[in-house]
């Protein structure tokens, strides 16, 4: 187990105290720990979406360098966008 210490001003403490019964947490320590873990998980997931792994990055750049031929759906969309004369 590790200990984390923080200081809250009166307004912050009152806000957390108000949320505590709504969260199901049994103590302010468990509430703060769970909130910190939730935030950490969200940041890590966001990072994974922004920066893909090596295989995903390689596939992305391969598709940029060697794009597939346009399919009928894309051709029709282009015609609609440009007008029927395209």
């Amino acid at each position: 187990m590790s200990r984390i210490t923080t200081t809250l001003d009166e307004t912050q403490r009152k806000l957390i105290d108000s949320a505590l019964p709504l969260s199901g947490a049994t103590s302010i320590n468990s509430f703060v720990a769970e909130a910190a873990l939730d935030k950490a998980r969200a940041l890590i997931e966001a990072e994974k979406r922004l920066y893909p792994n090596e295989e995903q990055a390689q596939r992305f750049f391969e598709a940029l360098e060697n794009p597939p031929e346009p399919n009928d759906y894309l051709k029709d969309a282009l015609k609609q966008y440009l007008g029927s004369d395209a």
Side-chain angles (χ1 to χ4, degrees), residues 37-56:
L37 289 169
D38 287 346
K39 181 69 173 187
R41 288 182 192 107
L43 289 170
I44 290 168
E45 283 303 311
E47 181 78 5
K48 285 180 185 177
R49 284 191 300 274
L50 288 175
Y51 301 102
N53 65 36
E54 186 66 31
E55 179 187 340
Q56 292 167 326

Side-chain angles (χ1 to χ4, degrees), residues 23-81:
S23 71
T26 57
S27 69
I28 194 167
N29 287 333
S30 62
F31 177 86
V32 171
E34 191 58 39
L37 289 169
D38 287 346
K39 181 69 173 187
R41 288 182 192 107
L43 289 170
I44 290 168
E45 283 303 311
E47 181 78 5
K48 285 180 185 177
R49 284 191 300 274
L50 288 175
Y51 301 102
N53 65 36
E54 186 66 31
E55 179 187 340
Q56 292 167 326
Q58 187 63 35
R59 284 192 318 213
F60 174 76
F61 289 115
E62 175 66 25
L64 286 178
E65 292 173 5
N66 301 300
E69 291 294 318
N71 60 23
D72 290 339
Y73 179 80
L74 183 58
K75 290 175 186 176
D76 289 343
L78 180 61
K79 284 179 186 176
Q80 288 180 5
Y81 178 76

Side-chain angles (χ1 to χ4, degrees), residues 1-6 27-30 32-33 36:
M1 288 276 195
S2 295
R3 179 176 294 275
I4 297 174
T5 304
T6 188
S27 69
I28 194 167
N29 287 333
S30 62
V32 171

